[in-house]
């Protein structure tokens, strides 16, 4: 433990604050390891000419390694990824709270060599609480056909966070009243979220809109799993369903 001063005021520096490690990742299985005990976040900077896949992971016991999702902060990719893939140099950040050590490891080598720079910090990576819509998905069907919007699995350790959901029901011909509502169902959303549409009579060309902008994003129930919104086959109805979301741990 040591002291630092800022404008004459003593400040205690945590012994694990802003640790640093570097090394070359030029073969399959090559890795760089850094201590992270007591730290909350890890930053990975990859430089050089390379092509491959790199996994960031943490360990509690020094033997078993758990993948850490990371997000890019200065490249085109938006949101979290389960691994860093491709040829683009950049900087990624993720949460490492609770891990004794963190490593970045080449899991699929193609060519070249990436120079990895790692630093761990007391500052947390709290992006899941502040991120906004980064991805849009939509699906539309034909008259009388069922429609399923499938949001593909985001990868290991990641889940979907829905920011809004829009479901439109369009009448291609006169709709007659029925005794039971039309139910739109979902998978991998809390409580098997479902939505009921009225079954009243409606003129041809009528559109019934339902939209929810979630004040707090709705997290999918399971990590690494696809999320679906399922509109049932309904006579003389065209369904369109759209969703906005981001991916995070």
């Amino acid at each position: 433990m040591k002291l630092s001063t800022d404008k004459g005021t003593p400040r205690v520096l945590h012994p694990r604050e802003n640790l640093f490690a570097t090394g070359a990742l030029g073969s399959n299985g090559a890795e760089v390891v850094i201590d992270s005990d007591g730290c909350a976040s890890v930053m990975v900077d990859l430089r050089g000419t390379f092509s491959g896949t790199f996994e960031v992971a943490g360990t509690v016991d020094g033997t078993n390694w758990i993948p850490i999702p990371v997000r890019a902060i200065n490249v085109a990719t938006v949101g979290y990824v389960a691994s860093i893939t491709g040829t683009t140099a950049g900087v990624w950040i993720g949460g490492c709270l609770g891990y004794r050590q963190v490593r970045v490891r080449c899991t699929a080598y193609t060519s070249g060599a990436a120079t990895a720079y790692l630093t761990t910090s007391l500052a947390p990576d709290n992006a899941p609480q502040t991120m906004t819509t980064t991805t849009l998905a939509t699906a539309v069907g034909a008259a009388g056909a069922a429609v399923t919007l499938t949001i593909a699995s985001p990868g290991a350790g990641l889940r979907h966070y829905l920011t809004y959901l829009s479901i439109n029901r369009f009448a291609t011909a006169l709709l007659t009243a029925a005794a039971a509502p039309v139910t739109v169902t979902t998978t991998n959303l809390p409580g098997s979220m479902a939505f009921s549409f009225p079954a009243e009579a409606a003129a041809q060309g009528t559109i019934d809109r339902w939209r929810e902008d979630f004040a707090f994003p709705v997290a999918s129930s399971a990590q690494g799993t696809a999320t679906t919104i399922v509109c049932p086959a309904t006579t003389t109805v065209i369904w369109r369903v759209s969703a906005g979301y981001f991916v995070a741990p």
Side-chain angles (χ1 to χ4, degrees), residues 84-178:
I84 303 166
T85 302
T87 61
T88 303
V91 179
W92 288 261
I93 187 171
C96 64
L97 185 65
Y99 293 116
R100 284 176 52 198
Q101 292 179 308
V102 173
R103 75 181 182 190
V104 57
R105 188 171 191 263
C106 180
T107 57
Y109 175 77
T110 302
S111 63
T115 300
Y117 303 89
L118 277 71
T119 182
T120 52
S121 173
L122 299 178
D125 173 31
N126 59 356
Q129 287 74 45
T130 59
M131 289 184 68
T132 56
T133 304
T134 60
T135 309
L136 303 174
T138 189
V140 65
V147 172
T148 298
L149 174 62
T150 300
I151 305 175
S153 167
L158 297 170
R159 68 180 79 238
H160 305 118
Y161 289 80
L162 268 62
T163 56
Y164 79 84
L165 184 61
S166 172
I167 305 172
N168 293 336
R169 186 191 67 172
F170 178 79
T172 62
L174 178 67
L175 298 180
T176 57

Side-chain angles (χ1 to χ4, degrees), residues 218-229:
V218 176
S220 59
S221 300
Q223 294 180 326
T225 305
T227 299
T228 67
I229 298 93

Side-chain angles (χ1 to χ4, degrees), residues 42 84 146 217 238:
V42 58
I84 303 166
I238 294 176

Side-chain angles (χ1 to χ4, degrees), residues 3 9 12 29 37 47 60 66 73 75 78 88 99 120 124 150 158 162-163 169 176 189 191 207 212 227 246 248:
L3 295 178
T9 301
V12 177
D37 190 15
R47 298 293 158 182
V60 175
I66 312 299
I73 62 174
V75 297
V78 177
T88 303
Y99 293 116
T120 52
T150 300
L158 297 170
L162 268 62
T163 56
R169 186 191 67 172
T176 57
L189 290 178
I207 188 167
E212 180 75 22
T227 299
F246 62 86

